[in-house]
Amino acid sequence: DAKTTQPNSMESNEEEPVHLPCNHSTISGTDYIHWYRQLPSQGPEYVIHGLTSNVNNRMASLAIAEDRKSSTLILHRATLRDAAVYYCTEANFGNEKLTFGTGTRLTIIP
Amino acid sequence: DSGVTQTPKHLITATGQRVTLRCSPRSGDLSVYWYQQSLDQGLQFLIQYYNGEERAKGNILERFSAQQFPDLHSELNLSSLELGDSALYFCASRRGTFGGYGYTFGSGTRLTVV
């Protein structure tokens, strides 16, 4: 199973950028990197995913290291609604189940 | 609304009973995944179906079973329930099996076994 490691918790001030790191120690060349977030009592919500290149969408940016052993989720301007647990994980054809670690609990300070 | 519908939202039942959780995937999604989330175990993968066929199994107990029907909705059956089965059960769906497809999760069913 995919093994990722993330800090247990992070804090950030409202309206400032947030960089959430993830280590992908066992990632293979065909694994896509996925990020999800979960608010209390809600299902995980898709944030972004990528393979090798950096990716942007309306929610966030994903920076992937050249060796793909690490990735960083970037929230450009944190709001109180971004307070959640953020999970990084991996998926590829043939190993499609997402394995979730403990994630990073992000606290936004007003 | 994510497009993945789970019913019921809440379920309270007694030990030893059997319940069925239902999931309707997002329109056009062929893959369905079931996850269990308890306070001490985090999100645990249970089972995956693709277009009606079981495709992968995780830490699913023998008391639990699932299936995906021709209309692609899925049901998770939990029997001989124990207190420890109390958890949030999430269903997720995605278009296919390609690693580049994102997963869409439902809002879950909260099961309480008393």
Side-chain angles (χ1 to χ4, degrees):
Chain A
D1 285 355
K3 175 66 176 173
T4 58
T5 51
Q6 302 175 253
N8 287 333
S9 63
M10 290 183 63
E11 286 186 350
S12 179
N13 293 320
E14 194 176 9
E15 298 185 4
E16 290 188 356
V18 182
H19 290 235
L20 296 162
C22 176
N23 287 324
H24 304 267
S25 59
T26 60
I27 195 167
S28 72
T30 56
D31 287 340
Y32 279 77
I33 294 170
H34 288 244
W35 282 82
Y36 292 80
R37 70 181 185 181
Q38 187 176 24
L39 278 65
S41 297
Q42 294 188 25
E45 176 189 24
Y46 167 82
V47 178
I48 201 166
H49 76 279
L51 184 60
T52 56
S53 304
N54 295 344
V55 183
N56 300 297
N57 66 21
R58 62 174 181 81
M59 289 181 70
S61 295
L62 175 61
I64 300 173
E66 198 168 332
D67 65 1
R68 300 198 339 115
K69 295 296 186 185
S70 65
S71 69
T72 303
L73 180 70
I74 303 164
L75 307 179
H76 294 286
R77 199 164 163 270
T79 69
L80 295 178
R81 287 179 296 180
D82 292 322
V85 177
Y86 286 78
Y87 299 97
C88 61
T89 184
E90 300 152 7
N92 67 15
F93 178 80
N95 182 23
E96 299 135 38
K97 64 180 188 292
L98 295 177
T99 301
F100 292 89
T102 53
T104 297
R105 182 173 300 277
L106 176 64
T107 301
I108 304 298
I109 302 167
Chain B
D1 181 8
S2 68
V4 176
T5 304
Q6 290 189 247
T7 56
K9 292 193 182 308
H10 301 276
L11 200 47
I12 301 175
T13 190
T15 54
Q17 294 299 304
R18 171 190 166 96
V19 297
T20 298
L21 313 183
R22 181 187 170 101
C23 169
S24 294
R26 204 177 51 162
S27 178
D29 285 0
L30 300 176
S31 279
V32 169
Y33 306 77
W34 285 96
Y35 284 83
Q36 179 193 56
Q37 186 173 36
S38 55
L39 282 174
D40 57 345
Q41 290 292 321
L43 275 160
Q44 299 288 315
F45 168 74
L46 294 178
I47 197 164
Q48 175 200 355
Y49 282 83
Y50 175 74
N51 203 21
E53 299 289 326
E54 181 185 303
R55 187 163 172 91
K57 240 177 179 176
N59 300 323
I60 187 166
L61 299 171
E62 285 191 13
R63 301 183 285 109
F64 296 1
S65 65
Q67 60 185 126
Q68 187 179 27
F69 294 86
D71 67 352
L72 300 178
H73 91 272
S74 178
E75 292 182 357
L76 179 66
N77 300 298
L78 315 177
S79 62
S80 303
L81 285 167
E82 302 175 358
L83 296 177
D85 297 327
S86 296
L88 274 164
Y89 291 84
F90 292 106
C91 165
S93 73
R94 64 200 291 246
R95 190 76 52 187
T97 58
F98 173 53
Y101 290 128
Y103 297 69
T104 303
F105 284 81
S107 56
T109 294
R110 181 177 295 276
L111 173 66
T112 303
V113 182
V114 296

